[in-house]
Amino acid sequence: PRIRAVVTTGGRGLGRDIIDRLPGLEIVACSAVGTEKLDLAACRARGIAVTNTPDVLTDDVADMAMALLLMARRRLVEGDAHVRSGAWAREGMFPLTPTLTGKRLGILGLGRIGQAIAARAEAFRMEIGYVARAPRDVPYARLPDAEALAGWADALVVATPGGAGTRGLVSAPVIRALGPGGTLVNISRGSVVDEPAMIEALASGALGAAGLDVFAAEPAPDPALLALPNVALSPHHGSGTVETRDAMARMVVDNLVAHFNGAPLISPVA
Ligand code: GLV
């Protein structure tokens, strides 16, 4: 009964089981932009305020998307091993890879992070297409759905929120549409991609390569995925820089201070 505030992370969230045991709870401050593991309905029903940490992590997450895109498409993980193992001297030149410059980038979800990815992709002279619930005031092609976007694109970046609304959105047909020359990047949530279908496609060559910061199972992703050579893996670290984690922590504290001072919250979740 003495607890009035909870600080949590995106990965941990806060379920109804705990919320129900905190009768004095007034605010939940989440150190993440994604709040799908937080029971927002339970908070709303009790009038509990919820805050997250948007904006401050946008650039780092967009950087991670571009890094994974280059890593996967240019096969940097295998290239690194080619040098370290001595294969370069023993076996010779590393195989040629597809280029990125001038190719089509499909962005699934054109929110703050999706738009920051698009800005970076423009510098790579990529043609940009997107899928979003509502049209955006941007000079990019808007495709009707994920499958159409994947069919159009050379590389697809998943930048939607997680949660029930986007579960399995990158389905087996979407992955097939991206094709053997295609590169899939996910900096959103593992739940958005049909991971077994993706693994099968990567193993059979039906999908060219993938760059993944997020997984269906974290922190121990499917071993079948870890065994594939054509994936670049990152430990859910899109926002994992010193500067951004400092800014996120600051935002958590500023929201709590605002709440207990009776001031407007910095970043309330609607
Ligand atoms: C990280 O995944 C976040 O939601 O901020």
Side-chain angles (χ1 to χ4, degrees):
R2 285 190 299 120
I3 292 174
R4 297 168 64 193
V6 167
V7 172
T8 187
T9 62
R12 192 167 289 267
L14 193 68
R16 186 180 285 270
D17 52 337
I18 296 179
I19 293 169
D20 284 348
R21 292 165 67 185
L22 300 173
L25 189 59
E26 297 169 25
I27 181 168
V28 181
C30 182
S31 182
V33 67
T35 52
E36 78 282 352
K37 289 208 172 138
L38 236 158
D39 194 331
L40 293 177
C43 290
R44 244 191 312 270
R46 288 254 313 270
I48 298 165
V50 177
T51 64
N52 66 345
T53 59
D55 300 315
V56 291
L57 47 66
T58 299
D59 285 322
D60 275 343
V61 177
D63 284 353
M64 180 62 86
M66 296 312 288
L68 287 170
L69 180 55
L70 282 164
M71 281 179 76
R73 201 160 174 87
R74 298 294 301 271
R75 297 176 61 178
L76 292 182
V77 175
E78 291 164 275
D80 181 283
H82 197 70
V83 180
R84 282 179 203 274
S85 67
W88 190 16
R90 231 175 15 252
E91 296 161 22
M93 194 182 83
F94 189 69
L96 303 183
T97 73
T99 188
L100 191 65
T101 302
K103 297 293 179 181
R104 289 175 163 179
L105 180 67
I107 303 178
L108 192 57
L110 202 67
R112 286 172 284 226
I113 293 170
Q115 290 183 47
I117 293 167
R120 284 156 176 75
E122 283 191 39
F124 286 85
R125 299 203 301 280
M126 298 189 82
E127 193 183 339
I128 297 162
Y130 73 101
V131 164
R133 274 172 304 205
R136 300 277 185 178
D137 186 19
V138 289
Y140 314 136
R142 182 169 178 233
L143 282 289
D145 56 42
E147 194 170 341
L149 186 68
W152 173 88
D154 298 295
L156 183 71
V157 178
V158 184
T160 61
T166 56
R167 185 169 297 280
L169 186 60
V170 179
S171 59
V174 173
I175 293 164
R176 252 196 315 279
L178 193 53
T183 309
L184 178 63
V185 171
N186 190 1
I187 47 82
S188 153
R189 287 293 183 263
S191 59
V192 186
V193 174
D194 179 340
E195 198 173 86
M198 178 185 68
I199 291 171
E200 202 181 299
L202 285 164
S204 71
L207 174 63
L212 307 168
D213 189 43
V214 289
F215 306 89
E218 297 177 12
D222 188 336
L225 187 57
L226 310 186
L228 293 169
N230 48 346
V231 292
L233 307 170
S234 165
H236 199 146
H237 223 232
S239 68
T241 64
V242 172
E243 291 85 348
T244 289
R245 289 288 165 84
D246 271 354
M248 291 164 69
R250 164 66 52 197
M251 210 162 176
V252 165
V253 172
D254 286 350
N255 273 301
L256 293 173
V257 169
H259 173 78
F260 288 111
N261 283 340
L265 297 172
I266 316 295
S267 51
V269 173

